[in-house]
């Protein structure tokens, strides 16, 4: 067994033989190109002068007053394109160009990864196809148009629930068909090895910056909170604190209408070990092992699996994972908007909503960092038309 491909018992490469050579090619390119000083310098320059990094760590004084604890927000929403997704998409697209690929493929749910990939492709002169479930195209029309404006072809996927799982399946199938010339830019810390490690490494800049910025404030975190669908923003910020046993890591999943109803995407809360999209991880499945349908108001969190490193952190109890409902998420979005003048993405609002559950139960004043993984511009229509108990996706 390739131990590098696993986090504990999770991970691996559960793919057709036709894909194996591309994964081997990718792993070799990552080791031989992406780890060179030249590549890192070029990427760092783009992250600074194009993306706008470092993103601020903001002491949210009014939220802190509201909850009675010191709340710090990692402002990934201020990145170019509006989310953490650009960190990874830009890095993978740059690697694709160095490998001589002419085209990039991507899947997207909320549209932020699609926009980030289309942005990187435009910058680097690459063709770009983005696969997006038809339900998500409808609820994220603004992002779908942004991708087209950037020169990408948006492929609307009509299968199944027409959301992120189906978009990912379609993107993988398209990649198999064009595997010689195309590079698959995976948007989260999921998929077959080496993707979960590559995405974590490219997103780890979030955690490294956060740790350095906390030192500048002269404080040490007690809790680090991030939303989890596939889990790239969460593993990005968690990665810097994994060795700090006194820092509690909390991932927040989409509990939809409630984790005890059929309408949720709380994978680590309700799932069990299985195979999805080329990896062994924790999956929402029925008694026969069939992938269950998922629901969330968030197009970016309604995924029936989770990154294998999160599955391992959950099983080893290094991180704790909890569900937040659609309604709790929307309440947190309103609260953050009105207290701090920051409109967070629906995905990020799940993380912010967990403050409501955590803070009243803390026995001492704590320092809490929340990763605001994206901004809410893309979600305004959903928030405007939100109805409690409505089925989204």
């Amino acid at each position: 067994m390739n131990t590098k491909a696993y986090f504990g018992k999770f991970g691996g490469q559960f793919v057709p033989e036709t894909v194996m050579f591309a994964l081997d090619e990718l792993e070799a390119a990552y080791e031989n190109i992406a780890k060179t000083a030249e590549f890192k310098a070029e990427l760092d320059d783009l992250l600074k002068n194009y993306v706008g990094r470092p993103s601020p760590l903001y002491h949210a004084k009014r939220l802190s007053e509201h909850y009675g604890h010191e709340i710090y927000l990692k402002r990934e929403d201020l990145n170019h394109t509006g989310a953490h997704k650009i960190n990874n998409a830009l890095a993978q697209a740059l690697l694709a160009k160095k490998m001589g690929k002419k085209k990039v493929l991507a899947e997207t749910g909320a549209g932020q990864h699609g926009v980030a990939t289309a942005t990187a492709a435009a910058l680097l002169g690459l063709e770009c196809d983005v696969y997006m479930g038809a339900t998500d195209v409808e609820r994220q029309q603004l992002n779908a148009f942004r991708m087209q404006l950037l020169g990408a072809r948006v492929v609307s996927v009509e299968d199944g629930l027409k959301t992120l799982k189906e978009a990912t399946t379609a993107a993988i199938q398209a990649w198999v068909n064009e595997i010689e010339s195309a590079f698959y830019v995976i948007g989260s810390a999921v998929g077959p090895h080496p993707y979960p490690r590559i995405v974590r490494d490219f997103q780890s800049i979030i955690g490294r910056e956060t740790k350095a910025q906390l030192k500048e404030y002269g404080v040490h975190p007690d809790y680090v909170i991030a939303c989890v669908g596939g889990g790239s923003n969460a593993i990005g910020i968690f990665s810097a604190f994994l060795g700090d046993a006194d820092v509690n890591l909390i991932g927040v999943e989409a509990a939809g209408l409630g984790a005890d109803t059929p309408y949720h995407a709380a994978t680590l809360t309700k799932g069990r070990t299985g195979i999805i999209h080329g990896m062994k991880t924790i999956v929402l499945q029925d008694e026969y092992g069939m992938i269950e349908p998922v629901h969330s108001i968030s197009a970016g969190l309604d995924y029936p699996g989770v990154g294998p490193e999160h599955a391992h952190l959950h099983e080893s109890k290094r991180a704790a994972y909890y569900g937040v409902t659609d309604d709790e998420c929307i309440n947190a979005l309103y609260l953050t908007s009105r207290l701090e003048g920051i409109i967070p993405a629906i995905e990020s609002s799940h993380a912010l909503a967990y403050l409501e559950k955590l803070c009243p139960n803390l026995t001492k004043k704590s320092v809490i960092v929340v990763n605001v993984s994206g901004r809410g511009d893309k979600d305004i229509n959903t928030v405007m038309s939100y109805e409690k108990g409505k089925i989204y996706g």
Side-chain angles (χ1 to χ4, degrees), residues 1-48:
M1 185 174 82
N2 179 2
T3 53
K4 284 197 303 180
Y6 283 83
F7 303 92
K9 70 180 186 184
F10 301 105
Q13 295 174 308
F14 296 86
V15 296
E17 293 227 352
T18 48
V19 175
M20 281 304 299
F21 99 88
L23 293 176
D24 291 342
E25 178 190 42
L26 172 61
E27 187 169 12
Y30 181 65
E31 294 296 332
N32 298 325
I33 299 172
K35 293 191 174 180
T36 63
E38 180 188 6
F39 182 93
K40 288 178 179 177
E42 189 170 347
L43 179 59
D44 286 348
D45 179 70
L46 287 170
L47 289 172
K48 178 183 177 184

Side-chain angles (χ1 to χ4, degrees), residues 171-324:
I172 291 170
Q173 288 169 346
W175 182 42
V176 170
N177 294 337
E178 301 182 70
I179 211 150
E180 298 276 356
S181 59
F183 184 108
Y184 182 22
V185 180
I186 286 187
S188 195
V190 298
H193 174 77
Y195 277 109
R197 288 183 186 275
I198 288 175
V199 174
R200 178 201 61 197
D201 289 353
F202 285 150
Q203 290 291 6
S204 66
I205 190 169
I206 306 171
R208 293 196 307 274
E209 284 181 5
T210 301
K211 201 166 196 178
Q213 290 163 328
L214 284 164
K215 282 183 181 172
E216 288 177 20
Y217 276 111
V219 296
H220 185 76
D222 297 295
Y223 294 86
V224 175
I225 306 175
C227 66
V228 177
S232 65
N233 93 88
I235 208 64
I237 196 166
F238 287 178
S239 61
F241 300 97
L242 288 173
D244 300 339
D246 59 343
V247 178
N248 297 280
L249 306 177
I250 296 177
V252 184
E253 300 187 299
L257 301 190
D260 292 325
T261 74
Y263 304 106
H264 67 82
T267 305
L268 291 168
T269 306
K270 290 290 187 174
R272 65 182 199 274
T273 302
I275 308 292
I276 187 172
H277 295 141
M279 60 181 167
K280 181 180 182 182
T281 186
I282 294 175
V283 184
L284 289 171
Q285 53 192 309
D286 65 19
E287 58 187 306
Y288 305 108
M290 300 296 289
I291 305 298
E292 287 192 321
V294 289
H295 157 84
S296 170
I297 191 174
S298 160
L301 300 182
D302 60 352
Y303 182 63
V306 68
E309 190 165 5
H310 285 296
H312 174 60
L313 293 174
H314 169 69
E315 187 170 83
S316 65
K317 296 186 165 48
R318 176 59 191 93
Y321 297 83
Y322 303 96
V324 156

